[in-house]
Amino acid sequence: MIALRIIYVLNIIVAGQIAISAMFNPERAAATTFGNAYPSTEVMRLVGCLWLGITVLSILGLWKPITFSPVLLLQLIYKGSWLLIVALPALRNDQPFPTGMAIFFVIWVLVLPFLIPWSAWLNGTN
C-alpha cells in the first residue's frame, strides 16, 4: 500500500502541475512539458484535462489505494502506447519529440507493472 500511495503522490505532483500548465497556459506547456516538439494547440488543453483526471483519481487513491488503482493501468496503456506509436518512430526517424516526457514515460512503464495490484484485482479484493 505504501508503494501505491507514493505513486499516487508522484501522480498528484507531476500530473497536477502539467495539467494546470497544459489547460491554462498551453504555450508554456509546449515549451516545458513538450520541449517545443509540438506547437501549442487546443489538443494540449485536452491532454491537460486527461492529466487532471489522473490527478483527481490519484488524490482519491490516497484514501482507497486498491479501488483507484485502475488509473495506473490506464497510465501504463497510454504511456506505453505513446512510446511505441509516437516516440520510438520519431527517435528512429530523427524527428522532434519531447525527450524529457519520453524518459519519464519509460521509467513509469517499467515501474507500474510491479506496483499495479494485479492479485487484488484477480481476487476481487478492495
Side-chain angles (χ1 to χ4, degrees), residues 94-125:
D94 199 31
Q95 296 174 334
F97 69 99
T99 55
M101 180 186 294
I103 292 167
F104 179 77
F105 279 18
V106 166
I107 294 167
W108 223 240
V109 166
L110 291 174
V111 169
L112 284 179
F114 297 101
L115 297 178
I116 291 174
W118 305 105
S119 61
W121 294 353
L122 295 173
N123 296 328
T125 58

Side-chain angles (χ1 to χ4, degrees), residues 21 32 40 69 79 106 110:
S21 174
T32 56
S40 173
S69 62
K79 289 175 194 290
V106 166
L110 291 174

Side-chain angles (χ1 to χ4, degrees), residues 83-101:
L83 287 167
L84 291 173
I85 296 167
V86 178
L88 186 58
L91 179 66
R92 290 174 47 183
N93 295 318
D94 199 31
Q95 296 174 334
F97 69 99
T99 55
M101 180 186 294

Side-chain angles (χ1 to χ4, degrees), residues 72-81 108-109 112-113 116 118:
L72 305 177
L73 181 59
L74 171 67
Q75 288 182 285
L76 180 64
I77 293 168
Y78 94 79
K79 289 175 194 290
S81 298
W108 223 240
V109 166
L112 284 179
I116 291 174
W118 305 105

